[in-house]
mmCIF file of all heavy atoms in Angstrom:
data_model
loop_
_atom_site.group_PDB
_atom_site.id
_atom_site.type_symbol
_atom_site.label_atom_id
_atom_site.label_comp_id
_atom_site.label_asym_id
_atom_site.label_seq_id
_atom_site.Cartn_x
_atom_site.Cartn_y
_atom_site.Cartn_z
ATOM 1 N N GLY A 161 34.780 -81.698 46.805
ATOM 2 C CA GLY A 161 35.937 -80.861 47.105
ATOM 3 C C GLY A 161 36.333 -79.995 45.913
ATOM 4 O O GLY A 161 36.560 -78.790 46.061
ATOM 5 N N THR A 162 36.371 -80.604 44.719
ATOM 6 C CA THR A 162 36.725 -79.863 43.504
ATOM 7 C C THR A 162 35.688 -78.777 43.223
ATOM 8 O O THR A 162 36.036 -77.642 42.890
ATOM 9 C CB THR A 162 36.774 -80.833 42.296
ATOM 10 O OG1 THR A 162 37.445 -82.012 42.723
ATOM 11 C CG2 THR A 162 37.484 -80.223 41.127
ATOM 12 N N LEU A 163 34.424 -79.155 43.401
ATOM 13 C CA LEU A 163 33.330 -78.194 43.238
ATOM 14 C C LEU A 163 33.552 -76.961 44.129
ATOM 15 O O LEU A 163 33.392 -75.817 43.702
ATOM 16 C CB LEU A 163 32.038 -78.897 43.672
ATOM 17 C CG LEU A 163 30.763 -78.675 42.918
ATOM 18 C CD1 LEU A 163 30.895 -79.266 41.522
ATOM 19 C CD2 LEU A 163 29.608 -79.374 43.651
ATOM 20 N N CYS A 164 33.940 -77.223 45.376
ATOM 21 C CA CYS A 164 34.159 -76.133 46.334
ATOM 22 C C CYS A 164 35.353 -75.274 45.913
ATOM 23 O O CYS A 164 35.287 -74.054 45.971
ATOM 24 C CB CYS A 164 34.363 -76.686 47.740
ATOM 25 S SG CYS A 164 32.845 -77.339 48.444
ATOM 26 N N ARG A 165 36.469 -75.928 45.506
ATOM 27 C CA ARG A 165 37.641 -75.156 45.033
ATOM 28 C C ARG A 165 37.233 -74.247 43.882
ATOM 29 O O ARG A 165 37.563 -73.081 43.839
ATOM 30 C CB ARG A 165 38.755 -76.087 44.542
ATOM 31 C CG ARG A 165 39.306 -77.044 45.575
ATOM 32 C CD ARG A 165 40.367 -76.420 46.454
ATOM 33 N NE ARG A 165 40.158 -76.999 47.779
ATOM 34 C CZ ARG A 165 41.105 -77.498 48.547
ATOM 35 N NH1 ARG A 165 42.356 -77.424 48.185
ATOM 36 N NH2 ARG A 165 40.806 -78.013 49.722
ATOM 37 N N ASP A 166 36.495 -74.841 42.897
ATOM 38 C CA ASP A 166 36.090 -74.070 41.714
ATOM 39 C C ASP A 166 35.268 -72.839 42.093
ATOM 40 O O ASP A 166 35.299 -71.833 41.403
ATOM 41 C CB ASP A 166 35.249 -74.949 40.765
ATOM 42 C CG ASP A 166 36.087 -76.042 40.116
ATOM 43 O OD1 ASP A 166 37.325 -75.982 40.239
ATOM 44 O OD2 ASP A 166 35.503 -76.966 39.498
ATOM 45 N N HIS A 167 34.512 -72.949 43.183
ATOM 46 C CA HIS A 167 33.644 -71.833 43.574
ATOM 47 C C HIS A 167 34.220 -71.055 44.749
ATOM 48 O O HIS A 167 33.513 -70.250 45.368
ATOM 49 C CB HIS A 167 32.238 -72.345 43.890
ATOM 50 C CG HIS A 167 31.485 -72.760 42.661
ATOM 51 N ND1 HIS A 167 31.651 -74.004 42.071
ATOM 52 C CD2 HIS A 167 30.611 -72.085 41.875
ATOM 53 C CE1 HIS A 167 30.883 -74.068 40.983
ATOM 54 N NE2 HIS A 167 30.258 -72.929 40.846
ATOM 55 N N GLY A 168 35.472 -71.313 45.077
ATOM 56 C CA GLY A 168 36.153 -70.524 46.110
ATOM 57 C C GLY A 168 35.547 -70.641 47.495
ATOM 58 O O GLY A 168 35.553 -69.678 48.261
ATOM 59 N N CYS A 169 35.001 -71.811 47.830
ATOM 60 C CA CYS A 169 34.482 -71.939 49.197
ATOM 61 C C CYS A 169 35.098 -73.139 49.909
ATOM 62 O O CYS A 169 35.739 -73.991 49.298
ATOM 63 C CB CYS A 169 32.964 -71.989 49.204
ATOM 64 S SG CYS A 169 32.270 -73.338 48.285
ATOM 65 N N LEU A 170 34.922 -73.155 51.224
ATOM 66 C CA LEU A 170 35.501 -74.212 52.058
ATOM 67 C C LEU A 170 34.533 -75.385 52.170
ATOM 68 O O LEU A 170 33.317 -75.200 52.148
ATOM 69 C CB LEU A 170 35.773 -73.681 53.471
ATOM 70 C CG LEU A 170 36.763 -72.520 53.619
ATOM 71 C CD1 LEU A 170 36.786 -72.052 55.075
ATOM 72 C CD2 LEU A 170 38.157 -72.931 53.170
ATOM 73 N N LEU A 171 35.085 -76.586 52.331
ATOM 74 C CA LEU A 171 34.259 -77.781 52.540
ATOM 75 C C LEU A 171 34.416 -78.261 53.989
ATOM 76 O O LEU A 171 35.523 -78.550 54.444
ATOM 77 C CB LEU A 171 34.683 -78.886 51.557
ATOM 78 C CG LEU A 171 33.980 -80.243 51.687
ATOM 79 C CD1 LEU A 171 32.466 -80.112 51.549
ATOM 80 C CD2 LEU A 171 34.513 -81.235 50.655
ATOM 81 N N VAL A 172 33.284 -78.314 54.692
ATOM 82 C CA VAL A 172 33.248 -78.797 56.085
ATOM 83 C C VAL A 172 32.512 -80.134 56.088
ATOM 84 O O VAL A 172 31.418 -80.236 55.534
ATOM 85 C CB VAL A 172 32.503 -77.798 57.002
ATOM 86 C CG1 VAL A 172 32.367 -78.354 58.410
ATOM 87 C CG2 VAL A 172 33.214 -76.448 57.029
#
Side-chain angles (χ1 to χ4, degrees):
T162 317
L163 219 67
C164 288
R165 300 277 144 133
D166 291 349
H167 288 82
C169 60
L170 299 174
L171 176 57
V172 175

